[in-house]
Amino acid sequence: MTAQLINGKELSAVLKQEMKGEVQELKQQGLTPHLTVVLVGENPASKSYVKGKEKAAAETGISSSLIELPESTSEAELLQIIKDLNTDESVHGILVQLPLPKQISEQQVIETIHPDKDVDGFHPSNIGKMMTGEDTFLPCTPYGIITMLKSKNIEIEGKHAVIIGRSNIVGKPVGQLLLNENATVTYCHSKTKNLKELAATADILVAAIGKAHAITADYIKNGAVVIDVGINRQADGTLTGDVDFESAKEKASYITPVPRGVGPMTITMLLKNTIKAAKGLSTIE
Ligand code: GUN
C-alpha cells in the first residue's frame, strides 16, 4: 500500500482563501483583525517562523505588527509590553514567540497575555476550557492536525491514537483534542519503555519528538494514519520530519509530508484564531 498524502500546504491555501473573504467582510464592517507578534532575541528558527506568520497574515488581509526586542530584555520589560498590548483596543491577538531567553519565565509571559487575546491557546484558562470542551482558542499545531484529519474524513471516534512527545505546545494538547473527538489516547515520551510496540498499535500515530527519521516503518501498523510534526533542519539545510517518510508511506494509509504538512497548518490556524479574537473583542475589559 502507498499512503495518501495529507498536504497541509494545499489545505492551508483553501482555508486562507476562505478567511480572506471573511476578513474582507469584517473590514467592510470597520473591523480589521490585527495580530501583534513579539520576538525576543536572535533565534534564527524563531525569526523564520515569525516571517512566515507575517506573510500569511498579509495574504489573508489580516494586519500584523512585529515588536522586536533585544536578547537582554528583562522579564519585567516584556511583561509591561504585554500589559500595554492587553489594553490596546487595536490589537486583537498577541503572540510571543517561544523559546524566550533564560532570564524570562515563559509561564509568566503566557499567564500575562489576556486569555481573550491568547491566539496561541497557551493560557491556563484556555487550556482548561479546551480540556472541558468549551469554545476557546485551540493551540495552533494541534488544531491544524485535527483540521487535517477532518479534511480527509478520517474517523477519530473509537480509534487508538498514540502521541509520541508530551510538550505543552503539541503533544499534550493534540492528545486532548483527539480525546475530545472520542479517540482512545496513549501518550508516549522519552521514558516510555516499549515505544515501538505501543506505536505499532496506533490507528492514528502523531510523532512530535524533534528527532529526524526516528519513526521508521517498524513503529507503524499497516493502514495507520501518520502525522509528522517534526521540523528538523538537516546538514544540507533541508527540512525533514520525525518520521522516515520513505519507509512509512509503504505502510500508512495516510501520511503528512515534511515540508508542506503540519507546518503550514500551524500558521493557518493562528490566522483563524486571530479572526476569532477580533470578533470577540467586546469581551475585553
Ligand atoms: N515556538 C514554536 N512553536 C510556537 C508556537 O506555536 N507559538 C509560539 N508562540 N511560539 C512557538
Side-chain angles (χ1 to χ4, degrees):
M1 180 196 280
T2 300
Q4 261 201 58
L5 278 190
I6 315 179
N7 186 317
K9 186 150 192 215
E10 283 175 14
L11 179 55
S12 283
V14 172
L15 295 173
K16 281 194 276 192
Q17 200 56 39
E18 284 171 18
M19 283 191 271
K20 197 170 168 180
E22 194 179 359
V23 170
Q24 259 166 9
E25 278 176 28
L26 289 173
K27 282 184 174 172
Q28 277 160 12
Q29 296 160 27
L31 179 63
T32 301
H34 186 93
L35 171 69
T36 296
V37 176
V38 182
L39 176 63
V40 186
E42 303 290 330
N43 181 321
S46 290
K47 280 193 163 179
S48 147
Y49 291 145
V50 163
K51 264 207 190 114
K53 287 167 184 174
E54 287 190 296
K55 179 167 167 274
E59 280 167 18
T60 48
I62 293 174
S63 79
S64 71
S65 48
L66 173 62
I67 301 179
E68 285 185 280
L69 301 170
E71 184 81 28
S72 60
T73 304
S74 72
E75 183 177 298
E77 282 167 329
L78 179 57
L79 295 183
Q80 189 54 52
I81 287 166
I82 294 169
K83 286 174 191 162
D84 292 343
L85 293 171
N86 281 344
T87 54
D88 182 341
E89 284 196 12
S90 69
V91 174
H92 305 114
I94 303 169
L95 181 143
V96 179
Q97 186 66 28
L98 304 178
L100 289 168
K102 293 183 301 293
Q103 72 277 14
I104 303 175
S105 154
E106 290 187 352
Q107 202 53 33
Q108 275 298 327
V109 166
I110 287 168
E111 291 184 21
T112 301
I113 296 170
H114 194 290
D116 292 349
K117 295 192 178 188
D118 170 35
V119 286
D120 262 325
F122 293 166
H123 191 285
S125 96
N126 288 328
I127 295 172
K129 285 184 177 176
M130 177 187 66
M131 293 197 78
T132 53
E134 282 172 79
D135 180 35
T136 187
F137 299 112
L138 300 176
C140 301
T141 301
Y143 187 14
I145 291 169
I146 298 290
T147 304
M148 290 174 105
L149 294 173
K150 290 190 172 172
S151 79
K152 294 289 184 189
N153 292 317
I154 291 167
E155 205 174 347
I156 302 174
E157 183 163 306
K159 299 296 180 188
H160 184 206
V162 174
I163 318 299
I164 313 181
R166 55 169 157 182
S167 70
N168 289 336
I169 294 183
V170 181
K172 282 185 213 167
V174 77
Q176 182 63 50
L177 292 184
L178 288 164
L179 177 64
N180 290 359
E181 300 285 337
N182 300 318
T184 303
V185 180
T186 301
Y187 290 92
C188 298
H189 46 78
S190 54
K191 303 284 190 269
T192 298
K193 295 213 187 299
N194 47 346
L195 176 62
K196 199 183 281 183
E197 290 72 22
L198 281 168
T201 66
D203 302 309
I204 299 171
L205 182 65
V206 181
I209 20 184
K211 189 158 178 261
H213 302 164
I215 304 306
T216 54
D218 325 344
Y219 289 72
I220 296 167
K221 183 167 90 172
N222 273 323
V225 176
V226 178
I227 306 292
D228 189 351
V229 187
I231 302 180
N232 307 294
R233 198 166 288 278
Q234 294 181 295
D236 66 0
T238 58
L239 294 179
T240 194
D242 291 347
V243 174
D244 180 39
F245 183 83
E246 288 307 316
S247 67
K249 78 175 195 310
E250 300 306 323
K251 280 179 105 178
S253 57
Y254 289 90
I255 190 165
T256 66
V258 178
R260 294 180 290 283
V262 174
M265 290 299 291
T266 296
I267 298 187
T268 300
M269 303 333 273
L270 170 68
L271 303 178
K272 272 219 169 275
N273 281 345
T274 302
I275 294 172
K276 185 181 177 75
K279 288 175 166 172
L281 182 70
S282 56
T283 61
I284 307 248
E285 281 158 24

